[in-house]
Amino acid sequence: MYSYASRLKAMRDTKIAHTLAKRKQNGYTDLDDFGTVPISEGYFVEPWYNSTNGSFYGYDGMCENFCRVLDAHEPYIDPNEMLCGRWRDMLVNYRGDLHYMPDWLKKNPKTQEFMKSATNQWSKRWDEQRFPYDHLKPLQEKYNITTGIDGDAHFACDYRIGFELGFGGLLKKIDKYRAINLDKREFYDAEERTVEAIISFVQRHIDKLETMIAKEENRAVRNNLIEMKQTCENIRYNAPSTFQEACQWTAFFNCASRIYTRDGAGFQLDGLLYPYYERDVKAGILDDEKAKFLIANLLLIDPHYYQISGVDENDKDMTNHLSYLILEAADSINIATNLTVRVHENCDKEFMKKAVYYLLKNKNGWPRFCNDKALAEGYMRNGIDKKTARERIAVGCNWMCVPGKEFPMNDTVKVNVAKVLDEALKDLRKEEIRSTERLFEIYEEHLKKAVEVTAEGVNLHIDHAWEVTPELVMNLMMKNTLERGEDISQCAELYTVGIDGAGLAVVADSFGALQTRVEEEKLLTWDEMYEALDSDFADERTRLILNSAPKYCQGGTISDEWAKRLTESWVRIVKAQSMPEGRQFIPGWFSWSRTIEYGSKVGATPNGRRSGAPISHGANPNPHFRTDGAPTAQANGIASVQCGYGNTAPLQIEFDPKLAADEKGVDTVLRLIESHFNQGGTLININILDSEKLLEANENPDLHPDLVVRVTGFTAYFASLSPQFRQLVVDRFLQGI
Amino acid sequence: MISGIVADIQRASVHDGPGIRTTVFLKGCPLHCAWCHNPECIERAPQLMYYPEKCIGCGSCDKGCFSGARVICGKEMSVEEVLKEVLLDKDYYGTDGGVTFSGGEPFMQSEFLNALIDACKAEGIHCAVETSLIYFDAEIFRKVDLVMADLKIWDDELHKKYTGVSNEKIKTHFCQLSELHIPVIARTPVIPGICQEIDKISEFLKELSNVEKYELLPYHPLGGAKREALGIEPDGFTIPSKEFMEELEKYVFIRE
Ligand code: SF4
Ligand code: SF4
């Protein structure tokens, strides 16, 4: 048996085995699955440090270590597959930062020797010796800011560049511009070595395939291996010219860019691959079954963020036959994938129905949906033309990017507004006349400072990223980089930098609780409220008085009003922040999966949240916001807190609507999606889960190693998540029943 | 200003009629079904419900309970207040979704119900009612877009025994609805252990051209916790097995 179906099943089983093996090697990871395979026996990399603080930076440091890690990667070939290549390990693991180091690496005695100088500081990722920012740290800590300093890869490549040139063409391009920009030798040397390392990675796959072919006795398998080898040979140097070659080229490039900086931004999958599909079908070398298998294989190799469907610059539907095949392919392998369907009123309605059908049928958190209208029109409000706004596609957890042109640092810059409230509350206590209005004034003063210091950090990062972590792999498919001999951080066309607020619901509900319980109903005095916070709610009744106040997303409540007001204020303050060199901030609401970490920094809050408890997720309401957990109520609330400049405040829903994947089920969920988007919503992550399966898996994750949940923007295997994190997902879920 | 007693308003309900709906539960019902899943909706007047597991023992019941242990079920609401809540999800109703008036027996507060339906219709909202059909209010039936009505047990004696009322009127009302050509989805809650005679109910309903669909709803112990909170004995019924439901489905007529 060597049918597509049996091969896919075997591939899926291998994936599950990998998930369990990785958990053994890495411990729990509350992260994206990334598509890595377990570390192989004897794998070892000796890092090269070029900084006295025990890390490596700059063109030479990044390039040398990238080559070492990539060279250490054994070729990965599964005869069931049609595409090859996988990644296992990434550069950041070697930057002397224990925070990032996986268990398998920590346990290696040889590593321990090399890592003697390693400390538990974040600083090792950023070269603080040369680019210190101690002056910013006090305020960054005060407002619990995720600074973006040392963030990487949060932008998107223009794959058209790579598809057109191939690795050989990239080498030629490097040569061409090296001759023009004579002072950029170091840059071009590093880029050249980077491409050569990828080419030799491809070559090692060719070599291994050759030995496998020699040994393979089954004719069908052998033919497959021969085809794989031919494919690799064709793209080792040349540009891809067939559908299979384009997929394989993507797989190799993605392995390299993941190893380099964990880059997970894909492209418009049904758009860029369509010409290859069309040509091959015409030439008689590709049919739909094979195309689907190749797509499934590509999705298995790496859960990159790909967008499908949507409209072009003239509002014309871009859905094509391949869009359908992509959904069918994802269904055939049904693993963690990050496909985002772009919704527009002109889009093929049947396609939207099919996308929702798979969400209901597989209950695996894919696909997700983004709203073209709100995103494109919002982005244009930053002074950007319509064509460019349409090019800005969904390629990250919560974020969009214009491939090849933009340097948005999206999802790496966040202000914990619950911590800002914490600070404001401390100040209000000293005042004689206390009121929510006064609290809001103080909150805004702090927020301004927080945004200001965030901007300083972001500018430091943009100014010096090229000297610390130049993006040697992704630079290959960006505009201006090779042409000018500059890192993308220096030469992007667009610096629309995303800044997200985290903890909206905690703050909104706190203001709401203060206004109702303290000011209007006078159930508590301000002093009693402060005492309650100080004692972390020693008196449970007091906590419940505050906690039972009307909440954000209940619909038409005071806290709903506060959430809107807080959004208006967040947007106003962020947009007023001046930035140099044409850079500008774009506001959003998003916590990523950091709710536990952010919460640990925030004292007890007036919404009855205990000190150190997690903050609210993304733009979502607090758990138990309504007894019926109505997703429409949540969707209404989140639509009303959109920031309006093209970045998102995602609607994250987990529920078990007990709806079958039939017409009624599909229509109902599609109605929910379309209505939220008509109201101005930007992005929807829906986890339709089987409540029994989820609860069972929470008890014993190994019972369901294939269970996938969309944790936040990303999906993860439930079995890989830490118990604390699993509980958080379960808690969020129960409210939606 | 017309007002009535509302037990609860649930949003995003997808099982009380087509599309996405808001279900308004009106308090009061003249029946006393032994398996009632909304026992808090039988009494018309507001009632205290007590959930001891939520009680924190603060001893300040007289100053209000905030833990959810002592809750009053039933709130006097004006038509405007209900409408405001119903309108919150208007964007999500589309053409088939809307509001469902349930209970209890919504027709027990017929003046309030009538006014609520007028108010919703004026906003262009699809209106459905869930009723035991113990009452017949032609004016209201003519206005609503969908009627979901129960015929719980065929045999009248058994009907009396388990619901406290005769089903003669209910059967008559089914026929009257048919004469008025008002579309109905007929339903029977399946309660294991009671001889409901699904075959006869189905035969009867089949003859009524307005009955678009006949549905069996498996007994659900949802009412259990609420019974306890009201201080009522458990009803003692069990969930029907899948096999049992499949067996009964064979008797259910299907409208071509
Ligand atoms: S007020 Fe509520 S929580 Fe407190 S003792 Fe009374 S019932 Fe219990
Ligand atoms: S008719 Fe409905 S509400 Fe009334 S007693 Fe029977 S089940 Fe309960």
Side-chain angles (χ1 to χ4, degrees):
Chain A
M1 270 295 277
Y2 193 62
S3 64
Y4 285 144
S6 68
R7 289 162 72 182
L8 283 164
K9 186 179 175 305
M11 284 151 68
R12 197 166 188 270
D13 290 346
T14 307
K15 176 81 211 172
I16 292 170
H18 283 166
T19 303
L20 295 174
K22 283 192 315 191
R23 194 183 63 193
K24 218 166 169 189
Q25 285 185 349
N26 302 342
Y28 294 120
T29 39
D30 296 336
L31 288 172
D32 193 301
D33 168 71
F34 293 134
T36 50
V37 291
I39 292 293
S40 46
E41 226 8 72
Y43 176 88
F44 181 72
V45 173
E46 184 181 327
W48 175 69
Y49 292 119
N50 67 352
S51 159
T52 49
N53 76 358
S55 190
F56 49 85
Y57 306 112
Y59 295 136
D60 57 342
M62 290 300 289
C63 179
E64 175 62 35
N65 285 289
F66 170 68
C67 294
R68 290 185 185 200
V69 175
L70 188 61
D71 288 349
H73 269 69
E74 270 178 39
Y76 180 95
I77 298 156
D78 175 350
N80 280 312
E81 299 184 24
M82 265 184 204
L83 304 173
C84 53
R86 286 290 202 290
W87 70 293
R88 306 165 198 267
D89 182 19
M90 55 187 163
L91 232 53
V92 70
N93 288 342
Y94 298 92
R95 297 185 90 172
D97 176 354
L98 285 174
H99 184 94
Y100 260 89
M101 206 177 287
D103 282 2
W104 63 264
L105 188 56
K106 274 187 213 155
K107 281 183 220 146
N108 189 319
K110 277 207 231 167
T111 314
Q112 284 174 357
E113 223 172 278
F114 282 110
M115 295 283 163
K116 268 195 196 120
S117 65
T119 62
N120 205 358
Q121 283 171 11
W122 286 89
S123 62
K124 295 298 169 68
R125 288 185 66 191
W126 184 254
D127 191 349
E128 290 202 36
Q129 285 180 347
R130 285 195 294 163
F131 312 110
Y133 58 101
D134 291 331
H135 60 298
L136 305 180
K137 284 182 182 167
L139 283 184
Q140 289 174 337
E141 272 160 37
K142 182 171 180 178
Y143 302 120
N144 194 204
I145 290 164
T146 300
T147 63
I149 299 172
D150 81 12
D152 47 32
H154 282 73
F155 56 99
C157 286
D158 185 347
Y159 279 71
R160 287 174 301 190
I161 296 175
F163 283 177
E164 193 189 311
L165 297 177
F167 296 118
L170 288 168
L171 283 179
K172 281 188 201 142
K173 188 172 175 184
I174 290 166
D175 265 349
K176 176 181 165 190
Y177 287 102
R178 188 209 305 267
I180 298 169
N181 303 309
L182 293 170
D183 55 333
K184 301 286 173 57
R185 197 181 53 87
E186 226 200 327
F187 171 86
Y188 288 111
D189 285 354
E191 290 291 7
E192 186 179 56
R193 274 195 71 198
T194 299
V195 180
E196 280 167 353
I198 302 174
I199 292 176
S200 86
F201 181 58
V202 179
Q203 182 60 50
R204 291 201 300 283
H205 283 80
I206 297 171
D207 297 343
K208 182 161 179 190
L209 279 160
E210 198 159 302
T211 30
M212 288 170 77
I213 291 166
K215 280 190 238 152
E216 184 57 58
E217 280 165 14
N218 181 310
R219 241 183 77 192
V221 179
R222 194 159 179 271
N223 285 343
N224 179 53
L225 292 173
I226 291 170
E227 194 180 7
M228 282 167 88
K229 180 169 167 256
Q230 192 61 54
T231 304
C232 291
E233 277 170 347
N234 292 352
I235 59 160
R236 192 186 71 97
Y237 194 81
N238 294 328
S241 62
T242 66
F243 190 77
Q244 180 161 354
E245 286 173 16
C247 290
Q248 182 63 73
W249 196 92
T250 303
F252 281 133
F253 184 87
N254 288 1
C255 281
S257 71
R258 282 285 200 190
I259 288 170
Y260 194 88
T261 41
R262 279 205 309 184
D263 154 47
F267 51 89
Q268 181 79 33
L269 195 56
D270 51 358
L272 261 55
L273 288 183
Y274 192 68
Y276 297 95
Y277 167 80
E278 228 184 355
R279 213 179 305 146
D280 287 7
V281 170
K282 232 179 242 158
I285 54 168
L286 184 71
D287 58 26
D288 281 1
E289 289 314 303
K290 187 173 174 186
K292 278 197 282 188
F293 187 89
L294 282 163
I295 294 286
N297 204 160
L298 183 62
L299 296 176
L300 171 76
I301 288 182
D302 198 325
H304 262 52
Y305 285 86
Y306 293 109
Q307 182 174 287
I308 49 177
S309 192
V311 289
D312 67 11
E313 59 177 304
N314 300 313
D315 304 335
K316 203 177 139 273
D317 183 18
M318 295 198 298
T319 315
N320 56 36
H321 185 58
L322 190 55
S323 319
Y324 281 88
L325 295 185
I326 291 166
L327 286 182
E328 286 168 28
D331 174 57
S332 72
I333 187 114
N334 195 24
I335 47 162
T337 76
N338 290 317
L339 289 174
T340 310
V341 174
R342 190 159 182 120
V343 181
H344 184 280
E345 59 181 2
N346 291 355
C347 286
D348 177 356
K349 190 90 174 184
E350 282 313 306
F351 181 73
M352 294 300 148
K353 284 190 177 176
K354 189 146 185 179
V356 173
Y357 165 75
Y358 285 123
L359 183 68
L360 274 163
K361 172 180 172 256
N362 295 319
K363 300 185 164 72
N364 253 351
W366 67 268
R368 355 181 268 159
F369 299 84
C370 71
N371 180 16
D372 179 83
K373 191 171 189 294
L375 292 169
E377 285 177 6
Y379 194 52
M380 286 164 71
R381 290 179 68 204
N382 301 293
I384 287 157
D385 65 277
K386 183 174 171 185
K387 181 171 180 293
T388 309
R390 273 280 154 67
E391 284 172 21
R392 200 170 193 252
I393 56 174
V395 284
C397 262
N398 66 322
W399 56 275
M400 322 287 144
C401 183
V402 185
K405 295 181 183 166
E406 191 187 353
F407 191 74
M409 294 175 72
N410 271 334
D411 208 12
T412 68
V413 182
K414 303 204 190 305
V415 176
N416 181 352
V417 293
K419 189 73 185 14
V420 175
L421 173 73
D422 208 6
E423 294 300 326
L425 280 163
K426 282 182 206 160
D427 288 358
L428 181 76
R429 180 195 285 252
K430 297 172 213 145
E431 307 223 345
E432 259 172 44
I433 300 167
R434 297 162 183 164
S435 68
T436 46
E437 279 311 313
R438 180 68 193 127
L439 179 64
F440 186 66
E441 277 173 27
I442 304 172
Y443 164 87
E444 282 206 326
E445 284 162 23
H446 282 290
L447 193 60
K448 269 187 208 131
K449 284 189 212 152
V451 172
E452 214 172 274
V453 74
T454 307
E456 282 187 64
V458 162
N459 288 319
L460 174 87
H461 176 82
I462 299 176
D463 291 342
H464 297 291
W466 67 281
E467 293 159 280
V468 180
T469 309
E471 302 278 0
L472 293 173
V473 176
M474 294 179 77
N475 276 343
L476 297 169
M477 296 202 288
M478 299 299 286
K479 296 232 156 69
N480 302 338
T481 45
L482 298 185
E483 289 84 342
R484 294 189 195 163
E486 286 180 342
D487 182 58
I488 186 60
S489 59
Q490 301 167 281
C491 60
E493 281 179 22
L494 299 159
Y495 287 94
T496 31
V497 177
I499 174 170
D500 298 317
L504 169 67
V506 168
V507 182
D509 287 356
S510 291
F511 272 103
L514 291 172
Q515 190 178 334
T516 45
R517 301 308 200 211
V518 178
E519 289 186 320
E520 290 169 7
E521 298 165 3
K522 302 202 187 326
L523 290 170
L524 297 170
T525 64
W526 282 95
D527 280 336
E528 283 167 341
M529 192 281 300
Y530 272 114
E531 270 165 41
L533 297 188
D534 289 346
S535 70
D536 199 14
F537 302 109
D539 178 36
E540 178 67 0
R541 184 177 162 89
T542 310
R543 193 186 77 78
L544 290 172
I545 287 176
L546 291 163
N547 190 244
S548 60
K551 292 186 174 70
Y552 160 56
C553 279
Q554 273 174 352
T557 66
I558 285 177
S559 297
D560 278 305
E561 289 309 310
W562 274 109
K564 283 190 236 169
R565 194 168 167 193
L566 288 161
T567 302
E568 180 276 320
S569 139
W570 169 242
V571 172
R572 176 168 32 81
I573 289 169
V574 164
K575 288 312 283 181
Q577 178 60 47
S578 70
M579 302 272 276
E581 322 223 5
R583 299 168 193 166
Q584 55 176 324
F585 266 149
I586 305 191
W589 288 121
F590 194 55
S591 57
W592 197 62
S593 65
R594 291 207 172 92
T595 55
I596 297 174
E597 177 195 327
Y598 286 153
S600 71
K601 301 287 191 319
V602 182
T605 40
N607 65 327
R609 177 193 144 279
R610 288 190 197 283
S611 175
I615 59 160
S616 50
H617 177 251
N620 270 21
N622 281 304
H624 314 297
F625 69 104
R626 277 181 69 89
T627 44
D628 59 14
T632 48
Q634 192 176 333
N636 268 318
I638 291 174
S640 75
V641 298
Q642 294 298 323
C643 299
Y645 283 88
N647 277 9
T648 64
L651 168 63
Q652 167 97 20
I653 297 185
E654 21 272 313
F655 70 147
D656 181 357
K658 305 243 174 359
L659 281 169
D662 57 12
E663 212 186 313
K664 168 162 178 156
V666 168
D667 284 350
T668 306
V669 175
L670 187 57
R671 170 75 46 73
L672 187 71
I673 294 168
E674 286 178 341
S675 304
H676 179 64
F677 284 169
N678 285 339
Q679 290 178 319
T682 41
L683 178 67
I684 304 184
N685 297 318
I686 304 185
N687 273 307
I688 289 181
L689 291 158
D690 179 332
S691 47
E692 277 159 38
K693 190 170 172 182
L694 182 73
L695 295 177
E696 236 172 60
N698 195 29
E699 285 290 311
N700 182 1
D702 292 355
L703 278 180
H704 300 288
D706 60 337
L707 176 63
V708 173
V709 288
R710 191 162 290 285
V711 171
T712 174
F714 64 79
T715 43
Y717 290 91
F718 196 65
S720 307
L721 299 174
S722 65
Q724 190 189 15
F725 217 90
R726 288 206 303 269
Q727 190 57 45
L728 207 70
V729 173
V730 171
D731 285 349
R732 248 168 32 194
F733 172 74
L734 287 175
Q735 64 164 320
I737 290 184
Chain B
M1 199 166 56
I2 300 172
S3 67
I5 310 285
V6 176
D8 195 12
I9 298 179
Q10 271 174 22
R11 287 164 63 188
S13 142
V14 292
H15 302 290
D16 293 321
I20 295 175
R21 313 191 73 82
T22 295
T23 307
V24 180
F25 295 89
L26 301 185
K27 230 164 131 32
C29 179
L31 276 67
H32 285 86
C33 305
W35 57 81
C36 180
H37 57 291
N38 288 333
E40 77 285 12
C41 290
I42 295 179
E43 280 273 332
R44 167 101 181 240
Q47 269 169 299
L48 179 71
M49 296 173 84
Y50 179 57
Y51 296 94
E53 69 281 3
K54 289 188 182 162
C55 175
I56 55 160
C58 65
S60 304
C61 304
D62 53 330
K63 292 191 209 120
C65 180
F66 296 90
S67 70
R70 283 165 69 94
V71 284
I72 305 286
C73 172
K75 188 173 150 197
E76 169 125 22
M77 285 179 89
S78 68
V79 171
E80 289 69 30
E81 282 169 328
V82 175
L83 184 69
K84 200 175 148 208
E85 186 88 18
V86 168
L87 285 176
L88 285 175
D89 281 348
K90 194 175 178 203
D91 290 345
Y92 292 82
Y93 297 150
T95 47
D96 54 348
V99 61
T100 298
F101 296 101
S102 181
E105 171 49 65
F107 284 86
M108 209 170 157
Q109 303 187 47
S110 63
E111 196 194 354
F112 184 45
L113 177 65
N114 199 4
L116 282 173
I117 290 168
D118 285 344
C120 290
K121 290 260 108 188
E123 292 288 344
I125 295 171
H126 181 283
C127 291
V129 286
E130 279 188 308
T131 172
S132 63
L133 266 194
I134 194 74
Y135 298 113
F136 195 85
D137 189 324
E139 188 195 341
I140 294 181
F141 281 132
R142 280 202 189 93
K143 283 182 204 167
V144 295
D145 301 284
L146 176 68
V147 177
M148 288 172 278
D150 283 7
L151 186 44
K152 301 168 200 283
I153 298 173
W154 183 254
D155 180 80
D156 196 31
E157 285 311 308
L158 281 177
H159 197 278
K160 277 186 207 150
K161 177 175 168 196
Y162 285 108
T163 71
V165 300
S166 156
N167 65 14
E168 285 306 319
K169 260 197 206 163
I170 295 171
K171 288 178 189 165
T172 313
H173 292 159
F174 262 108
C175 298
Q176 279 176 275
L177 276 178
S178 183
E179 281 155 24
L180 292 176
H181 305 294
I182 289 169
V184 172
I185 293 179
R187 303 166 329 167
T188 300
V190 173
I191 320 292
I194 300 178
C195 178
Q196 295 172 287
E197 298 183 280
I198 303 295
D199 50 341
K200 289 190 185 150
I201 299 176
S202 184
E203 279 301 305
F204 167 75
L205 293 170
K206 198 175 153 186
E207 299 307 314
L208 306 174
S209 61
N210 65 322
V211 178
E212 291 181 339
K213 204 169 150 195
Y214 176 38
E215 289 178 343
L216 299 183
L217 310 174
Y219 164 81
H220 199 292
L222 262 179
K226 295 189 279 191
R227 295 176 87 85
E228 219 179 304
L230 289 162
I232 314 173
E233 290 289 299
D235 60 16
F237 294 107
T238 53
I239 305 172
S241 68
K242 225 174 125 201
E243 294 71 36
F244 185 59
M245 289 302 293
E246 277 165 10
E247 188 56 35
L248 291 184
E249 287 291 348
K250 291 180 190 159
Y251 297 96
V252 171
F253 79 91
I254 294 163
R255 191 72 78 204
E256 290 309 317

